[in-house]
Amino acid sequence: MSGEIGLWAVPIAMLGGAIRVSTPFLFVSLGEVITERSGRINLGLEGTLVFGAMAGYALAFMTGSAWIGVLAAAVAGSVFGLVHGLLCSLPKVNDIAIGIALMLLGTGLAFFFGKPFIQPVAPDLPSINLGWWSDLPQVQAALRVNVLFLIGAALALALAWMLRRTRVGLTLRVVGDSSDAARALGIRPARVRILATAFGGALAGIGGAYLSLFYPGSWNEGISSGQGLIAVALVIFARWSPVNCFFAALLFGAAGALGPALQSVGVTSGYYLFYAAPFVLTLVVLIASSSKSGALTGAPRELSITK
Amino acid sequence: MSAEPDIPVAVYAKPDGAKTAVGIETVGMTMRFGSFTALDNVSIEVRPGSFHALLGENGAGKSTLVKCIMGFYHATSGNLLIDGFDGGVTDPRDAHAKGLGMVYQHFTLVPALTAAENLVISRADVPAVIDWDAEMKDLTAFMNAMPFRVPLTEPVHRLAAGEKQKLEILKQLYLGRRFLILDEPTSVLTPDEADEVLGHVRKLCEAGELSVLMISHKFREVTAFADEVSVLRRGKYVGGGLVRDLSHQDMAAMMMGDAKPVDPAPREATEGAAVLALENVRARDRSGLKDIAIDALSVRAGEIVGIAGISGNGQMELMEILTGQRPLAAGRMTVHGAPYHATRAEERGLKVRYLPEEPLHNACAPRMTVAENIGFRSFETGRDKPRFWLAPGEMKRRAERLVAEYKVKTASIESPIASLSGGNVQRAVLARELEGEVDLLVISNPCFGLDFTAVAEIRRRIMTARNQGAAVLLMSEDLDEILELADRVLVMSEGSLVYECTAAEADIPTIGHHMGGHA
């Protein structure tokens, strides 16, 4: 099949796969960066992602517009974020436990409401063909880039700018680094954290909409393979920097594309092992970035896992 | 809330004039919490441009007084006058608007932000998008007009403690505050840094730009920098006046009243063999970026070795090495010549005991009872072999005996140890650790936050243990404590022991230089 370019098909397919697979990672991890920079960790994003996928698909099918689906997914995600943020602002409530509860709630609700939408076909999100200059069908396929990926890339830059140069960004960093200092400055940490968690939820919802509206491009109960959870690990790997998140998401996307890419050049034995690449990479990353004796550098000091 | 347009944010823009110190006066200030009177009819005056010290033991009402001034509390009765007029401060924000500011004992700077970011975010009118070029120009102009400056672009967590304290004070000036409360501003500084910071503050007072009310318990600093002093005891004003008219003894007598601390235990001549020895020990520090390097450290029986240093120079890591919580990258640690890894069996066999800092968190299970906490060293040892079933009767008798012997004030030995005051937790832990024979006692900041009488008693116990032949390693951020107790003084700086002298040779300026790493 891919005779004329031989083994080059693997890196090209991985590049294409990286761009395709990375988008949900990118959105979820950008949202989680903002949440964690405020000093909270939201493990419920997996549930938000799945619910966003369902809500986005359902609304896109009902209205005929993929973009309304994306908007609906963002709104649904921000509601989940708000619930997490509000619950965690109560005294003696642990953000990790609430996150796990919301993860189960989100997937459960998505399956419950999503049953009627497994069969119908909703419109896809548009993509831009950046591979027009090449004659090779593989290159063209790899460079058919979805608009959401480009929006995500721009968003990474915008968030990095916001954290450095705006009042909102500075406030967020203050709250994430020291509740006491924030209170001394007259900032209410709880409110900032609730808003940051809602924002994170909205981005996770958009990540879910990408799954159901572009790649794989349909709604079913097995739509997420843990992207929402892996993205949380990815944030630690990216050292809480939005721009690093972009590259980390690409890396994880490429790892996720390794299995299908090998399959496409005819490797038939053991490719299931390569499907596990993202999970193995998660473990490797967490072990490599851990330290027995030192504190995590760059971590927001208010984060419950770094205290 | 911050709608008042006249908040003096950009005072530094006017180089001369209009920067005049604010004076305050409290008139008959009383603060009651339920039936407890924390502050009883206190009247003090801080004249514009003066440097006023506020002395008192823990619980004397100093922080209640300043919290009333800053509007955190609303006094039950009494008035606050600002520049002779009724202040009527409603809350801290209102106090700030009236030019009153406070520097807290613990830093309120945001560690991950740079000095410039910290200054800008503390303002009431931060623009939505920050034009850093213009801000940096303004900040540089502000810094250049100040008698001292700090690097603007460094993240605050990389600044030394003295720099941070300077930045806290600069922040108040940047915000246009003209009356400053300093709450034990030098507790985290070396003597050199303290002198530098307070010297600059004093200059600002002399120039008439600032009035200061400083909470302190260091007589030396009060004498060197303050003009006037007021002393509180049990919520009442008990004396004060011009600093030049008062001796240290006068001030101490006012602070303590008729309560007499126990006399220090005499230091007996002892001679002993080395108990603890560290050779070429290397370990990573908490940040994982620097090394702890102890080339040689030995403590003999019957001597107290004091390790002085500013916090964060590796003392915590050294304590963790000694308690086996931090793995060694190289080198060896021996007790009585035997390799030592701080296992429970080794601790018992070699008679090693610990008194870590903040014992409630580091040496107690806070919600378990006093009796159980006292039993932690011995609950599983029977007469000759380890026991499986606990012996509640024996634990209770031991706890009762030690509570009586060490005068631990507790409602009952069945109370949770977290309900005890700091001094009593310290006594209870010390009772547990000093029970039976002790060959090596490792102590860290034993008197932090305790009052005079508790401090005197804890130090006496430590000295007694030494006189009975224990080897004592004392790490403390309080140089006076080291000088009082130690036979030999070591200085720790940036993870290494950089200086050693006997107690007789000890000289505060020299030790201070080494603590600051300037030698």
Side-chain angles (χ1 to χ4, degrees):
Chain A
M1 285 272 290
S2 52
E4 66 260 52
I5 54 169
L7 281 179
W8 277 105
V10 174
I12 290 175
M14 276 177 73
L15 172 69
I19 294 173
R20 262 199 313 279
V21 178
S22 67
T23 308
F25 283 129
L26 180 58
F27 274 91
V28 180
S29 62
L30 285 179
E32 183 69 2
V33 162
I34 297 304
T35 307
E36 291 193 17
R37 276 293 187 110
S38 82
R40 285 261 174 80
I41 191 160
N42 183 359
L43 282 185
L45 292 182
E46 173 73 12
T48 313
L49 180 91
V50 174
F51 193 87
M54 190 283 296
Y57 197 75
L59 261 285
F61 168 69
M62 288 192 283
T63 61
S65 159
W67 289 109
I68 291 186
V70 171
L71 189 69
V75 171
S78 64
V79 170
F80 272 96
L82 267 182
V83 170
H84 185 280
L86 287 169
L87 285 177
C88 293
S89 300
L90 300 172
K92 296 193 180 175
V93 172
N94 180 282
D95 51 353
I96 290 177
I98 292 289
I100 292 171
L102 283 180
M103 171 160 60
L104 299 173
L105 180 73
T107 43
L109 283 179
F111 294 171
F112 178 74
F113 290 114
K115 277 276 184 281
F117 300 102
I118 293 181
Q119 285 298 332
V121 177
D124 266 2
L125 282 166
S127 55
I128 299 171
N129 188 1
L130 294 179
W132 46 267
W133 46 270
S134 170
D135 300 331
L136 292 170
Q138 288 93 340
V139 174
Q140 288 186 0
L143 290 181
R144 187 163 299 137
V145 176
N146 188 275
V147 177
L148 272 186
F149 175 78
L150 300 175
I151 293 177
L155 191 63
L157 290 175
L159 289 179
W161 175 82
M162 182 205 75
L163 285 173
R164 280 198 61 74
R165 296 232 155 202
T166 66
R167 181 177 61 207
V168 176
L170 221 50
T171 307
L172 195 70
R173 286 161 63 196
V174 170
V175 169
D177 216 44
S178 162
S179 294
D180 291 337
R183 271 189 286 269
L185 294 173
I187 300 169
R188 273 179 279 173
R191 201 167 65 172
V192 174
R193 289 187 183 133
I194 290 168
L195 292 175
T197 317
F199 181 78
L203 289 195
I206 295 177
Y210 177 90
L211 285 178
S212 61
L213 294 174
F214 185 73
Y215 183 82
S218 67
W219 159 250
N220 62 64
E221 296 183 351
I223 192 159
S224 161
S225 44
Q227 278 101 328
L229 278 175
I230 292 177
V232 176
L234 201 145
V235 169
I236 299 174
F237 176 51
R239 288 280 179 268
W240 294 272
S241 146
V243 175
N244 286 352
C245 271
F246 174 74
F247 294 111
L250 273 184
L251 180 67
F252 274 71
L258 183 61
L262 285 175
Q263 212 182 347
S264 74
V265 295
V267 178
T268 48
S269 61
Y271 61 84
Y272 275 106
L273 216 53
F274 295 106
Y275 274 105
F279 310 106
V280 174
L281 188 63
T282 309
L283 277 180
V284 170
V285 158
L286 285 181
I287 292 168
S289 58
S290 72
S291 158
K292 221 163 87 178
S293 54
L296 226 45
T297 49
R301 285 174 180 73
E302 285 292 322
L303 219 52
S304 54
I305 49 162
T306 55
K307 268 187 186 171
Chain B
M1 270 181 280
S2 54
E4 292 146 274
D6 58 345
I7 293 176
V9 166
V11 179
Y12 55 90
K14 304 175 249 173
D16 313 294
K19 298 191 289 183
T20 46
V22 169
I24 65 119
E25 190 178 350
T26 67
V27 184
M29 209 168 251
T30 300
M31 182 77 209
R32 290 197 189 90
F33 298 100
S35 62
F36 173 66
T37 306
L39 209 58
D40 190 0
N41 198 21
V42 172
S43 303
I44 64 167
E45 188 193 354
V46 182
R47 289 176 294 100
S50 70
F51 194 131
H52 199 109
L54 185 60
L55 283 172
E57 289 230 52
N58 285 342
K62 299 172 307 229
S63 48
T64 311
L65 178 66
V66 298
K67 279 178 178 164
C68 287
I69 294 174
M70 289 303 293
F72 288 102
Y73 296 154
H74 291 215
T76 317
S77 64
N79 279 323
L80 173 69
L81 305 183
I82 298 178
D83 278 342
F85 297 101
D86 190 2
V89 169
T90 52
D91 57 45
R93 210 178 268 267
D94 186 34
H96 294 161
K98 287 169 175 156
L100 274 48
M102 178 157 172
V103 174
Y104 300 89
Q105 192 171 2
H106 299 285
F107 299 120
T108 58
L109 299 165
V110 186
L113 266 54
T114 65
E117 286 171 331
N118 264 291
L119 288 175
V120 169
I121 193 69
S122 64
R123 244 164 44 190
D125 64 336
V126 192
V129 174
I130 298 160
D131 178 357
W132 277 113
D133 292 337
E135 293 290 351
M136 287 307 285
K137 233 163 101 190
D138 285 356
L139 286 168
T140 314
F142 164 73
M143 281 287 176
N144 288 340
M146 288 292 131
F148 52 102
R149 46 194 65 101
V150 290
L152 280 169
T153 51
E154 281 285 305
V156 163
H157 66 86
R158 276 203 222 127
L159 297 180
E163 301 275 287
K164 284 187 204 167
Q165 194 60 277
K166 283 192 231 166
L167 183 58
E168 291 274 8
I169 292 166
L170 284 173
K171 186 171 100 181
Q172 297 297 322
L173 295 168
Y174 175 74
L175 295 172
R177 316 268 159 81
R178 292 294 168 243
F179 167 81
L180 270 196
I181 293 168
L182 307 178
D183 185 1
E184 300 196 10
T186 60
S187 56
V188 289
L189 308 185
T190 65
D192 278 352
E193 285 175 323
D195 287 353
E196 194 202 340
V197 171
L198 292 180
H200 287 312
V201 172
R202 183 170 174 80
K203 266 186 222 136
L204 287 168
C205 289
E206 282 166 358
E209 295 188 21
L210 193 65
S211 331
V212 168
L213 178 63
M214 174 175 80
I215 297 180
S216 180
H217 57 246
K218 293 182 182 166
F219 296 136
R220 188 186 70 82
E221 288 170 3
V222 173
T223 315
F225 297 102
D227 308 308
E228 284 181 63
V229 61
S230 294
V231 184
L232 299 184
R233 188 173 73 239
R234 291 189 196 135
K236 291 197 176 74
Y237 177 86
V238 290
L242 293 175
V243 168
R244 61 168 179 269
D245 298 337
L246 296 167
S247 69
H248 291 181
Q249 285 78 4
D250 296 336
M251 291 189 245
M254 283 188 234
M255 278 169 78
M256 287 193 291
D258 43 11
K260 286 277 168 287
V262 290
D263 295 325
R267 183 186 301 273
E268 290 164 16
T270 53
E271 193 69 49
V275 177
L276 171 72
L278 270 66
E279 285 164 39
N280 297 316
V281 163
R282 297 284 181 280
R284 273 280 126 116
D285 80 338
R286 291 208 160 190
S287 67
L289 302 173
K290 286 182 288 184
D291 275 331
I292 304 298
I294 309 288
D295 290 331
L297 167 65
S298 81
V299 187
R300 287 184 294 104
E303 80 167 342
I304 299 179
V305 173
I307 297 187
I310 313 155
S311 78
N313 273 282
Q315 299 95 321
M316 210 184 265
E317 284 89 347
L318 178 56
M319 189 73 183
E320 286 172 347
I321 289 170
L322 293 167
T323 54
Q325 289 165 288
R326 184 164 289 270
L328 293 185
R332 56 193 238 117
M333 173 160 64
T334 56
V335 174
H336 287 308
Y340 181 69
H341 310 91
T343 63
R344 201 165 163 86
E346 284 175 348
E347 281 176 18
R348 182 165 298 129
L350 298 166
K351 303 188 182 98
V352 181
R353 301 300 175 86
Y354 298 98
L355 185 64
E357 62 183 359
E358 291 187 69
L360 184 61
H361 297 112
N362 295 322
C364 294
R367 287 180 204 189
M368 290 174 78
T369 66
V370 175
E372 285 166 332
N373 273 286
I374 287 181
F376 280 172
R377 277 270 169 224
S378 49
F379 66 92
E380 86 282 41
T381 49
R383 281 215 172 68
D384 39 39
K385 59 178 187 191
R387 62 165 93 232
F388 181 77
W389 304 105
L390 295 181
E394 194 185 309
M395 276 173 76
K396 186 161 170 268
R397 280 191 296 279
R398 180 188 298 118
E400 275 167 352
R401 175 169 58 77
L402 289 175
V403 161
E405 196 177 311
Y406 281 78
K407 300 189 198 76
V408 181
K409 281 194 204 105
T410 169
S412 131
I413 58 164
E414 300 302 325
S415 312
I417 197 158
S419 67
L420 272 55
S421 74
N424 285 310
V425 172
Q426 193 70 284
R427 286 192 190 98
V429 174
L430 200 57
R432 171 180 89 201
E433 298 295 314
L434 288 181
E435 196 203 0
E437 279 178 61
V438 180
D439 282 2
L440 174 62
L441 180 63
V442 180
I443 308 174
S444 174
N445 288 320
C447 298
F448 191 77
L450 306 186
D451 61 27
F452 271 133
T453 36
V455 167
E457 192 195 322
I458 302 279
R459 288 183 185 164
R460 187 186 168 85
R461 299 266 183 203
I462 294 170
M463 186 58 84
T464 310
R466 168 205 176 270
N467 290 344
Q468 287 166 357
V472 181
L473 182 63
L474 168 72
M475 279 171 257
S476 178
E477 284 155 36
D478 182 350
L479 194 49
D480 296 335
E481 176 166 82
I482 299 241
L483 295 179
E484 179 185 327
L485 290 175
D487 299 283
R488 212 144 48 85
V489 180
L490 303 175
V491 176
M492 192 158 190
S493 174
E494 302 198 345
S496 307
L497 297 172
V498 291
Y499 179 70
E500 175 174 351
C501 64
T502 64
E505 305 163 345
D507 161 55
I508 292 181
T510 317
I511 292 176
H513 284 309
H514 287 279
M515 280 164 70
H518 304 305

